[in-house]
Structure formats: C-alpha cells, structure tokens
C-alpha cells in the first residue's frame, strides 16, 4: 500500500518560490567587482532569476544544457543558481583559480553552451574563448555601460542588457527531481578533473539538512556571509539553504582580504560566516594586531581542510565566536559531518570540550559513514583505530559525469554502494569522526602511521608560525620520516631547534619531525588547500639530516 500524501518533485525552483513568497523582503547584500555595495531582496532575486530563465529560453537552450559561471560570490551569481537550474538547465560553476588550459578543458568536457563571467575574469576569457567552441553565448556579469567596446570576444553581451530584455513572467517547469541541476569539477590533483553532477533532489535534501540546528543552524534571524566560494561545491549549499530559511545573505565579491571581510561583517551585522581556514587566517591576522573585536558574529563554519585547534581557540576565547568544524567534499555536495557537542559534553571541562571540537564531527542524517581496513572490513568506533573512510547517502555521488573513472563505489555484503573518500579517519564511540590524513599524505614510519595533520596542528599553535605543512621524506630504515615546512609570521622569529623543542610532550617522541624547513610560502591549490604534491616536487633535492 502506498502512502496517500502529495508527491511533489523536490526542485530548486521551489526554494526560490518559497523565499519570494515567505521572505520576499529579506535582504541580499553584495560587494560588487566594482567595489560598491549592492542591496536588494529575495523578491528581486526571484524576479531576475525568472528573467534569466526567459533569456535562456530565448537562446533555445534545451533541457539539461550546461550554462557555466566564472564568478565571485554575488547576487548575479545567485540568480544563475536559480534561473539556470530552475529552468531545467545545468549550472556549471567553474573555479577561476584553475589554470586557463584546465578551464578550457572542462568547458569542452562539460560542453557548456553559455558562459557568464565577472569582469575580473575578462582577460582569462579573452585567453580561452577561442578554445571553447561549444560556447554559443558569452555574457559579462556587468551593467551595459561597463562593457568595453572591443573585447575580441564574438557576440559578448552584458548580463544586464541580456536579461533586461526578457520578461519576469515565467512559470518554473515541473520535471523529475532526479534531473541534473548543477555540476562541479573536483580539484583534480592527479589526472584530469572529474565532475560531480548534482540533482534537484540531492541539492534540496542537502539544503534541508544543512539548515538543521546541529548542522549549519541557519534561520531567518541570521545574517550569513558565505566566504566559501560559489564556484566550489555551491558554497557548501548555503545559497539554497538561505532561500529555504530566509536569512539575510551577505556576499563578499572578490574582496577576501582580512580588512574587507572584517569591515563587511561589521557593517552588515553578520551573525554567521563560512569559509576555509586560510581565509580566516587572513581575517584573524588583520584583527589581532589592531585589537579589533566582532560586534555581531556568533558562529563560523570552518572546513575544506583541517581547522587548526589554535584557530578554534582564537575564535572562541579571544572573539567569543563558536567554531563549527565541518568536513565534506565535492563528491558529497559537500556536507558530511559537522562538529557540535552533544548534551552530555556540556558538563565537560573546556579542555575536554576542545578535544572534541577539533574533530571533524558527527554525521548529518543523510550521510552514513564507516571506516574500513585494507581487507574492506569495518573497523571499530573507538576513536583510536584508523581506516579508510567510506560514505553513502542521497547527496553522495554514484558516478562521475560521463562515467569518467568507471564505477567509483565499493559494494558491501548487501550490495550497497559506498563512496571511498580517500581520507583516513577514526570514529569514536559517540560517532565523532576525525580525519587523520588524505590517504596519500599519511606518513608511514617504521610500519606505523603518522598523521600529518597532527604534526601541522602542533606547529600552528606556535606563535611565530603562520602556516605549516608536514610531508614524509624517504628514509632507508624507517621508510619515511616526517618533516615540517613552515612559513613564519611577518616579523616573528623561531629557530629549527626551538620549533622541534616545542613538539616535546605534545606528541610521541617518534612522531616528532626530523627537520624543519623554513619556506616563503606553501603552494596552495585552486580551492585554497595545501598542494602537497607540489611541495614534494619543490623538496625533491631535499635530504633528511644525517643521510
Ligand atoms: P574538495 O572536494 O576539493 O572539497 O576536497 C575534499 C577533501 O578536503 C576531503 O576529502 C578532505 O581530504 C579535505 N577536507 C575537507 N574538510 C576537511 C576538514 N575539516 N578537515 C580535514 N580535511 C578536510
């Protein structure tokens, strides 16, 4: 017997319709590429998203055709989130920090037909447009009068002129909720990037889950600043969850330096911000020396790479901001776990609570996870045993776009598919997961594993250290030994010996790095994560002391 409830497809258009009807006057504030501040409401967003949908119809774009963006976080990008997907097309958000060759490669791979870009990326588009034959329409995300006369890009139009010519009268189509809605290519540190292809169903379910109190806890009383880019895994789904909750949205545009982010937080009374540790490093680096404080910020989600405990402490103790450590990946839409305490933890001491907060957190309903050993058997949830982390759920990929890379899933005894994350983790008895490493970054010393994240976290707690990256170096006896590459804070001093002494008592003796290498910078990838492959290349002539 089937249930007798209405069956409505979960579509992204329903989010914007809801926001328009129930939170029409909630504000969306954007710092534009031009530097000025733009303000409008969800009502305006909905209206202009419909204009965009009509403009796409005008190009005779078919169902599931790809429309690409090369853009910062801002209101026009937000209109693409709803206008493109809502009308049945697929939004392909491109990471502008990728190499131009790689951008051309993914535009061709995705067969993008329209590409909308912020003016910041005009030189990039000028460099690649001739290599992108599938693109029929180039659109500059700017006012008509800001479009330079001769860009060399055939048929280039300004977004405002383009959608301005279209009516806001548009009925969102209804279709299968499993239809593709957007796509995002993985960072692709090895080989060509592969794309996760999200669906309306996966995106809407993720939006619901992300808003829950023990997840991102978004509400109509929040002012939310997604510093995490809309070109990387849909800004952790915040644009969709925002429409669902009616929170005020504040977009930083291209200005991601500490000063600009701080000023925006204060001016717009931001209560909630989300971003990767490197961005918060810049923010704290700006605030510390000037003695600045927050007047409105209450919570921040930090994820994308391990959040150093020293950062969690700084936010909480110095600034009264609660840090929610989160873990996820492109293949997971991206949220997998978030670290919020349980009731029984509230009675614990600050130090004990801190030990929990450092972990990547517990599963959100919708994501099941397990750790397995080399034989594929599930390992104990004891907080000590580590293994390969596998996940499954309705917003986890089943396959990559165009079947690239074959079947990525691992089957269990019941035939259910699990996605191997490539991360190594422990899970404790309360279900809190802690990432030890990417499997390829784990350091194998004398048959034992050393977590590079643990080694980096200790270095990061030293006041003279701005950034630390731990890698394994070949060793004839131990196989590998850890070294730590360190970027010093401007004006700060620390010697190799002092830093090695700093490790004493903080980790087992055999896990203390064999050496400290001071570097100007750690290479970062297109999403702000440390590029250890590149770092290892830079260290190819390095020899461990005594070898
Ligand atoms: P991406 O798909 O580019 O977002 O990268 C996903 C990967 O980033 C994960 O598989 C992890 O290795 C890493 N990652 C994300 N969040 C965290 C976190 N909180 N701590 C440690 N690693 C993380």
């Amino acid at each position: 017997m089937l249930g007798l409830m209405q069956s409505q497809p979960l579509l992204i258009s329903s989010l914007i319709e809801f926001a328009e009807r129930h939170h029409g006057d909630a504000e969306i504030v954007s710092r534009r590429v031009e530097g000025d501040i733009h303000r409008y409401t969800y009502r305006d967003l909905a209206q202009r998203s419909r204009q965009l949908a009509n403009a796409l119809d005008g190009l005779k774009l078919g169902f599931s055709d790809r429309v690409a963006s090369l853009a910062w976080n801002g209101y026009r990008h937000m209109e693409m989130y709803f206008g493109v997907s809502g009308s049945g097309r697929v939004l392909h958000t491109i990471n502008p920090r990728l190499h131009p060759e790689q951008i051309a490669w993914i535009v061709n791979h995705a067969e993008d037909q329209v590409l909308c870009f912020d003016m910041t990326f005009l030189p990039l588009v000028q460099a690649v447009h001739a290599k992108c034959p599938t693109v029929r329409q180039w659109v500059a995300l700017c006012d008509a009068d800001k479009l330079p006369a001769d860009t060399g890009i055939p048929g280039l139009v300004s977004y405002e002129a383009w959608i301005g010519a279209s009516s806001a009268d548009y009925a969102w189509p209804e279709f299968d909720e499993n239809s593709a809605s957007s796509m995002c290519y993985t960072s692709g540190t090895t080989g060509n990037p592969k794309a996760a292809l999200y669906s309306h169903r996966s995106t809407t379910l993720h939006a619901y889950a992300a808003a829950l109190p023990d997840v991102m806890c978004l509400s109509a009383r929040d002012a939310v600043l997604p510093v995490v880019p809309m070109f990387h895994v849909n800004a952790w789904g915040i644009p969709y969850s925002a429409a669902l909750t009616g929170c005020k949205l504040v977009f930083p545009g291209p200005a991601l330096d500490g000063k600009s982010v701080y000023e925006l937080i204060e001016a717009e009374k931001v209560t909630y911000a989300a971003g990767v540790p490197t961005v918060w490093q810049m923010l704290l680096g700006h605030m510390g020396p000037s003695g600045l404080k927050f007047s409105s910020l209450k919570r921040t989600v930090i994820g994308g790479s391990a959040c150093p405990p020293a950062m969690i402490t700084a936010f909480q103790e110095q600034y009264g901001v609660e840090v929610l450590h989160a873990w996820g990946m492109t293949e997971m839409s991206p949220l997998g776990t978030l670290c919020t305490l349980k009731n029984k933890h509230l009675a614990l001491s600050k130090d004990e609570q801190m030990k929990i907060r450092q972990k990547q957190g517990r599963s959100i309903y919708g994501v099941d996870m397990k750790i397995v050993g080399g034989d594929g058997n599930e390992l104990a949830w004891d907080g000590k045993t580590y293994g390969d982390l596998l996940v499954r759920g309705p917003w986890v990929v089943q396959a990559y776009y165009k079947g690239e890379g074959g079947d990525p899933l691992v089957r269990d005894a019941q035939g259910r598919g699990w996605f191997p994350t490539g991360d190594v983790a422990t899970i404790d008895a309360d279900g809190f997961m802690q990432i030890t490493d990417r499997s390829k970054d784990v350091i194998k010393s004398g048959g034992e594993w050393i977590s590079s994240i643990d080694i980096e976290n200790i270095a990061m707690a030293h006041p003279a250290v701005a950034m630390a990256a731990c890698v394994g170096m070949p060793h004839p006896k131990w196989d590998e030994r850890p070294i730590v590459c360190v970027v010093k804070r401007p004006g700060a001093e620390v010697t190799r010996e002092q830093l090695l002494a700093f490790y004493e008592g903080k980790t087992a003796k055999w896990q203390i790095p064999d050496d400290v290498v001071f570097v100007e910078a750690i290479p970062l990838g297109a999403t702000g994560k440390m590029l250890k492959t590149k770092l290892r290349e830079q260290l190819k002539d390095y020899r461990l002391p005594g070898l």
Side-chain angles (χ1 to χ4, degrees), residues 8 40 69 107 180-181 197 238 261 268 294 305 344 393 441 455:
Q8 289 174 8
Y40 75 177
S69 66
V107 168
S181 58
L197 187 61
I238 291 174
V261 170
E268 298 303 329
F294 293 117
S305 46
K344 65 179 178 185
D441 292 336
I455 303 302

Side-chain angles (χ1 to χ4, degrees), residues 187 232 303-306 325-330 360 421 423 438 529:
S187 323
H232 187 58
S305 46
H325 194 188
W327 167 84
M329 58 196 311
T330 308
Q360 276 72 8
T421 63
D423 288 324
R438 287 297 289 166
K529 292 177 214 275

Side-chain angles (χ1 to χ4, degrees), residues 96-366:
R97 299 199 183 107
L98 292 172
H99 190 275
E101 287 298 322
Q102 214 167 18
I103 290 180
W105 187 91
I106 64 174
V107 168
N108 285 308
H109 191 259
E111 299 166 65
D112 295 330
Q113 302 219 22
V114 180
L115 194 150
C116 306
F117 62 91
D118 269 334
M119 288 306 276
T120 321
F121 308 117
L122 177 63
L124 177 60
V125 172
Q126 285 170 320
V128 300
H129 76 91
K131 295 178 190 149
C132 303
T134 61
V135 178
R136 304 197 262 136
Q137 181 68 62
W138 298 92
V139 181
L141 292 163
C142 66
D143 294 333
D145 60 357
K146 294 272 169 19
L147 193 66
D150 189 16
T151 58
I153 302 164
L156 177 65
V157 291
S158 85
Y159 180 79
E160 292 304 326
W162 184 47
I163 69 159
S166 296
S167 155
D169 212 5
Y170 184 85
W172 298 109
E174 273 210 5
F175 43 80
D176 184 343
E177 64 184 16
N178 290 301
S179 307
S181 58
S182 67
M183 65 197 299
C184 184
Y185 281 75
T186 57
S187 323
T189 43
T190 49
N192 280 325
K194 298 190 283 281
L197 187 61
Y198 311 112
S199 70
H200 284 261
R201 175 184 155 81
S202 71
T203 305
T204 318
L205 289 175
H206 182 271
Y208 261 120
L212 284 170
D214 270 357
V215 188
M216 297 236 238
C217 190
L218 298 181
S219 84
R221 293 166 299 287
D222 277 310
V224 178
L225 173 78
V227 182
V228 48
M230 290 168 82
F231 57 71
H232 187 58
V233 215
N234 302 323
W236 299 350
I238 291 174
Y240 306 116
S241 299
L244 178 148
T245 53
C247 63
K248 172 177 172 178
L249 266 176
V250 182
F251 287 126
L256 303 179
D257 60 285
K259 182 169 183 290
S260 305
V261 170
Y262 175 75
E263 286 172 0
L264 199 59
I265 289 175
E266 287 303 299
E268 298 303 329
K269 299 271 167 282
V270 167
T271 58
Y272 190 92
V276 295
T278 35
V279 165
W280 297 142
Q281 189 98 24
M282 291 195 280
L283 177 66
L284 296 182
H286 167 71
M287 293 176 67
S290 326
L292 297 168
K293 296 280 176 217
F294 293 117
S295 62
S296 56
L297 191 68
K298 297 203 169 48
R299 283 164 296 142
T300 171
V301 185
I302 305 185
S305 46
C307 178
M311 183 174 282
I312 304 181
T313 310
F315 264 114
Q316 300 204 167
E317 315 259 298
Q318 277 168 263
Y319 301 104
V321 174
E322 186 186 7
V323 170
L324 306 168
H325 194 188
W327 167 84
M329 58 196 311
T330 308
E331 288 88 339
M332 299 176 69
S333 306
L335 292 178
T337 64
L338 223 113
C339 197
T340 51
L341 301 181
K342 292 184 173 179
N343 196 29
K344 65 179 178 185
H345 299 134
L346 300 181
L348 295 177
S349 71
K350 257 193 182 167
D351 284 353
E352 284 168 317
Q353 286 187 356
M354 185 60 198
K355 280 196 194 118
I356 300 171
R357 288 187 181 280
Q358 288 171 22
K359 301 192 176 195
Q360 276 72 8
R362 48 200 170 91
S363 263
I364 304 163
Y365 168 77

Side-chain angles (χ1 to χ4, degrees), residues 10 29 50 58 60 85 102 118 161 202 210 336 339 346 374 401 411 419 444 457 475 492 523-524 534:
L10 297 171
V29 180
R50 292 195 299 270
K60 304 264 178 299
S85 305
Q102 214 167 18
D118 269 334
S202 71
C339 197
L346 300 181
Y401 177 57
R411 308 280 149 192
F419 179 77
K444 290 152 195 128
N457 282 345
H475 189 283
L524 297 179
K534 195 143 185 206

Side-chain angles (χ1 to χ4, degrees), residues 69-80:
S69 66
L70 262 174
W72 301 110
N73 292 8
Y75 64 104
R76 291 181 180 125
H77 207 173
M78 184 80 170
E79 290 159 15
M80 294 187 71

